[in-house]
Short mmCIF file of all heavy atoms in Angstrom, two decimals:
data_model
loop_
_atom_site.label_atom_id
_atom_site.label_comp_id
_atom_site.label_asym_id
_atom_site.label_seq_id
_atom_site.Cartn_x
_atom_site.Cartn_y
_atom_site.Cartn_z
N ILE U 274 -1.91 24.81 9.41
CA ILE U 274 -0.97 23.73 8.95
C ILE U 274 -0.07 24.28 7.85
O ILE U 274 -0.53 24.76 6.88
CB ILE U 274 -1.71 22.48 8.48
CG1 ILE U 274 -2.60 21.90 9.66
CG2 ILE U 274 -0.78 21.34 8.07
CD1 ILE U 274 -3.40 20.76 9.35
N THR U 275 1.27 24.06 8.00
CA THR U 275 2.23 24.26 6.86
C THR U 275 3.01 22.97 6.70
O THR U 275 3.22 22.21 7.61
CB THR U 275 3.13 25.44 7.20
OG1 THR U 275 3.74 25.27 8.43
CG2 THR U 275 2.37 26.80 7.30
N VAL U 276 3.43 22.79 5.51
CA VAL U 276 4.13 21.55 5.16
C VAL U 276 5.42 21.84 4.32
O VAL U 276 5.41 22.86 3.61
CB VAL U 276 3.22 20.57 4.38
CG1 VAL U 276 2.02 20.25 5.12
CG2 VAL U 276 2.89 21.14 3.03
N GLY U 277 6.38 20.92 4.41
CA GLY U 277 7.56 21.00 3.62
C GLY U 277 7.60 19.64 2.91
O GLY U 277 6.76 18.83 2.98
N ASP U 278 8.81 19.40 2.37
CA ASP U 278 9.03 18.13 1.68
C ASP U 278 8.87 16.91 2.59
O ASP U 278 8.28 15.90 2.21
CB ASP U 278 10.36 18.03 0.96
CG ASP U 278 10.50 19.10 -0.17
OD1 ASP U 278 9.45 19.44 -0.68
OD2 ASP U 278 11.62 19.35 -0.50
N ASP U 279 9.38 17.03 3.93
CA ASP U 279 9.39 15.92 4.76
C ASP U 279 8.96 16.31 6.16
O ASP U 279 9.37 15.72 7.09
CB ASP U 279 10.72 15.24 4.79
CG ASP U 279 11.84 16.09 5.34
OD1 ASP U 279 11.65 17.29 5.46
OD2 ASP U 279 12.90 15.50 5.57
N TRP U 280 8.16 17.38 6.33
CA TRP U 280 7.81 17.87 7.66
C TRP U 280 6.36 18.44 7.59
O TRP U 280 5.89 18.89 6.46
CB TRP U 280 8.74 18.84 8.29
CG TRP U 280 9.02 20.06 7.39
CD1 TRP U 280 10.01 20.21 6.55
CD2 TRP U 280 8.27 21.30 7.44
NE1 TRP U 280 9.93 21.49 5.94
CE2 TRP U 280 8.92 22.19 6.55
CE3 TRP U 280 7.14 21.76 8.13
CZ2 TRP U 280 8.45 23.52 6.25
CZ3 TRP U 280 6.62 23.01 7.86
CH2 TRP U 280 7.27 23.85 6.94
N ILE U 281 5.67 18.44 8.70
CA ILE U 281 4.41 19.10 8.84
C ILE U 281 4.35 19.84 10.18
O ILE U 281 4.77 19.28 11.22
CB ILE U 281 3.24 18.05 8.82
CG1 ILE U 281 3.19 17.18 7.62
CG2 ILE U 281 1.89 18.85 8.97
CD1 ILE U 281 2.20 16.12 7.65
N ASP U 282 3.93 21.11 10.08
CA ASP U 282 3.76 21.92 11.33
C ASP U 282 2.31 22.24 11.52
O ASP U 282 1.62 22.75 10.55
CB ASP U 282 4.60 23.22 11.12
CG ASP U 282 4.64 23.99 12.45
OD1 ASP U 282 3.56 24.59 12.86
OD2 ASP U 282 5.76 24.10 13.03
N LEU U 283 1.74 21.88 12.69
CA LEU U 283 0.34 22.18 13.02
C LEU U 283 0.39 23.13 14.22
O LEU U 283 0.99 22.83 15.21
CB LEU U 283 -0.42 20.99 13.28
CG LEU U 283 -1.89 21.09 13.60
CD1 LEU U 283 -2.81 20.02 13.09
CD2 LEU U 283 -2.16 21.24 15.17
N ASP U 284 -0.32 24.17 14.16
CA ASP U 284 -0.53 25.12 15.26
C ASP U 284 -2.01 25.41 15.49
O ASP U 284 -2.66 26.02 14.59
CB ASP U 284 0.31 26.42 14.96
CG ASP U 284 0.43 27.34 16.18
OD1 ASP U 284 -0.26 26.97 17.21
OD2 ASP U 284 1.12 28.25 16.16
N MET U 285 -2.47 25.08 16.71
CA MET U 285 -3.85 25.31 17.01
C MET U 285 -3.96 26.64 17.81
O MET U 285 -5.15 27.13 18.03
CB MET U 285 -4.41 24.15 17.89
CG MET U 285 -5.83 24.02 17.74
SD MET U 285 -6.37 23.48 16.06
CE MET U 285 -8.11 23.54 16.28
N ALA U 286 -2.84 27.17 18.24
CA ALA U 286 -2.83 28.48 18.88
C ALA U 286 -3.84 28.57 20.07
O ALA U 286 -4.47 29.69 20.30
CB ALA U 286 -3.10 29.62 17.84
#
Side-chain angles (χ1 to χ4, degrees):
I274 300 177
T275 55
V276 303
D278 290 341
D279 64 351
W280 57 267
I281 304 175
D282 188 291
L283 180 146
D284 191 352
M285 207 66 187

